[in-house]
Amino acid sequence: MDRYLTILEVSQKQKYIFSSNVLSENIYNSDTIARITSGKYIESVVNNVRLFRMEDNLVYAGGGHTIMVFPDEKQAKQVTAMVTEQVIRDYPDIELFAATIPYPDTEANNSDTQTGNTEYPDTEAIISDVQIGNIGKTEMEVEKSDVKSADTGNHDRMKPADYIKELKKKLEHKKALRKASFHQGSFGIERMDPNTGKPVRVCSSNEKDSDTNEKRKNEKRKFDVPEDYALATAFRNLGGSKGESAFIAVIHIDGNGMGKKIQDFADSFSDWETYRTEMQEYSGQIAVDFMSAFKAMNREVAAFLKTEMAEENLSLDLKFERKAKKTDKIADKKTDIKRYFPVRRIITEGDDVCFVTEGRIGIECARIFLENLPDTCHACAGVALVHQKYPFYRAYELAEALCSNAKKFGASLSPEDNGSSVSAIDWHIEFGEIQDTLEDTRKMYLTDEDKKNLEMRPYIVKASEEVNQKEPVRQYGNLRKLMKRILKSPEKDFYASGALKELRSALKRGENAALYYLRYHNMEKLLVHGFQGIYQEMDYEKLEIGSGKSLERKLFIETLDGKKRSALFDAIEVMDTFLLVEED
């Protein structure tokens, strides 16, 4: 007897999550997707153990989709209809797709396999597709198709993972043929949301409370946010130096080669129950690894907030007054001074992570996250440093592009595993010059005189010794040493910040202009000492302080890709939006 596999997947997840420029709504939208694709939600909607029980019917869930197994097609379609109808009633802006295919019970036909009977049965597979859009109704289509093996066409040689591939392929085919969706924008009587332009969803006060106060308490416990801090609900809550810096950091982190790793793992199982059990455990462990890294990052940020550096730069901006409640035990206590935690997570689904921070700690937070992943797990990070009022969806797209660029960099260093063993980071400070693509934007980072690269980014955060030796220059640790020299050196106050920023302009003109500027302003000692601390362990000749020749060698350095890159530009560009996150 055949089983039936069903997949439910939310389409255009990022568009739905980041449709608003209100932080609390982004978080709510992210949690909504995680909730409606969870086994618990499906179980609660169906509310019939004969139709759906997580123990019997859930294969695995995560990343905005759910895969289920049913004993027959009728049950699969019934559960799909119940869940999709409820989703469109509760969340009309979510686009949900579903597909169902049969899974031949090859394990029951072992006798045929043993006797060499490997012919695929001459039957047609009924494929049930469901698309839920924002049109206010469900569309169902039934078509006939053959489920064929990826290699031989013989069903008894197909593994469980092969059928999951067929299921996802069918879903992608359905999405490619999506029909136009229409919705009633307004009946003219609703209160419109000024941020999204859509009618405000009416909910009870109890529902609203459960989505804020209690939920935030649980989030603080789950993600190791200190009890004496409040979670930011708006981008302005994240901090920023009043009158000086109003930047936030949007960080996107994605695991390296996770799709291939999961597929290779799945391909190792030939029977269904083992596949189902092991896949749930494997995907669960990935989620645990990335969650642990996020929690470790929060703990390091919490420790940093107690330092003198944080007190001078962040604490005052994070303070706010909470009005006393009637339930407060101290009657004369009118206000309670609290502080916002300068990190707020948005997406934490397996190896797909997005969070926002106060702008000056964003790059360091991404570094800490990557460093706290297990040695067997690597990921890349993209950090978009933007103004608090910058369109958030565009900021997230930029962070995604930066993460992708870091992955390409890792792949160039370790082509044998396509960069899976290299954790790298890339970032961009948005001053309004962003082009159509990140590649076009980076073309602006060339010297006018000799077309050398101004930026050293992306940087390696964690990699094998072999990769580190292959590319010793583009190491994030080198940048940190240089930032310490610029931000914490005894000579820091001797050079006005304006002089360092002018050096950035000199670098843009070209190497000769930058060398002349350094000598004219007597800045060689500070910068050469900084270089010596960074590069003295390499195979370069030792620097001679004050030697123009040795300085020239370090001002632009040839990296593994054969390009000359500036060892200064990144540090100078980011110095106003960067704090070293470390204990004093």
Side-chain angles (χ1 to χ4, degrees), residues 335-392:
T335 59
D336 176 26
I337 303 298
K338 297 196 72 174
R339 292 175 179 175
Y340 287 109
F341 196 65
V343 178
R344 188 76 198 269
R345 67 99 203 178
I346 297 179
I347 301 174
T348 47
E349 283 292 315
D351 67 317
D352 185 11
V353 177
C354 175
F355 57 96
V356 289
T357 74
E358 201 277 343
R360 289 166 291 182
I361 64 172
I363 297 173
E364 281 282 83
C365 282
R367 182 266 305 174
I368 295 168
F369 188 107
L370 296 179
E371 288 180 344
N372 278 281
L373 287 171
D375 292 338
T376 56
C377 185
H378 291 79
C380 287
V383 183
L385 294 160
V386 300
H387 193 277
Q388 292 174 3
K389 296 182 180 179
Y390 190 81
F392 193 69

Side-chain angles (χ1 to χ4, degrees), residues 103-122:
Y103 177 85
D105 194 356
T106 58
E107 296 162 23
N109 299 324
N110 285 336
S111 59
D112 292 337
T113 304
Q114 292 171 356
T115 59
N117 182 9
T118 59
E119 293 186 5
Y120 192 72
D122 187 18

Side-chain angles (χ1 to χ4, degrees), residues 34 44 79 110 117 148 165 196 242 272 310-311 340 342 356 369 375 403 415 423 485 504 521 529 557 561:
S44 65
V79 170
N110 285 336
N117 182 9
K148 297 181 180 179
K165 288 180 190 176
T196 64
K242 296 174 182 177
W272 177 254
E311 286 288 337
Y340 287 109
V356 289
F369 188 107
D375 292 338
C403 181
S423 291
R485 190 66 185 172
R504 178 175 178 263
H521 289 275
H529 275 173
I557 302 171
D561 58 5

Side-chain angles (χ1 to χ4, degrees), residues 19-31:
S19 60
S20 170
N21 241 39
V22 178
L23 176 58
S24 59
E25 291 181 7
N26 299 144
I27 296 167
Y28 177 77
N29 292 343
S30 175
D31 290 345

Side-chain angles (χ1 to χ4, degrees), residues 400-438:
E400 274 194 318
L402 290 161
C403 181
S404 177
N405 197 48
K407 285 176 177 284
K408 291 178 183 176
F409 171 59
S412 70
L413 298 175
S414 183
E416 59 276 4
D417 64 359
N418 199 33
S420 294
S421 59
V422 181
S423 291
I425 184 173
D426 196 3
W427 67 84
H428 180 76
I429 308 174
E430 176 50 32
F431 293 118
E433 80 284 10
I434 193 73
Q435 302 297 302
D436 291 337
T437 65
L438 180 62

Side-chain angles (χ1 to χ4, degrees), residues 43 76 101 103 139 205 216 267 287 355 374 376 422 440 486 495 501 526 554-555 559 571:
E43 202 170 54
I101 67 171
Y103 177 85
E139 295 180 357
S205 59
R216 289 176 202 160
D267 286 340
F355 57 96
T376 56
V422 181
D440 291 336
I486 290 176
Y495 300 104
K501 291 176 183 177
L526 168 63
K554 298 304 176 183
L555 198 54
T559 52

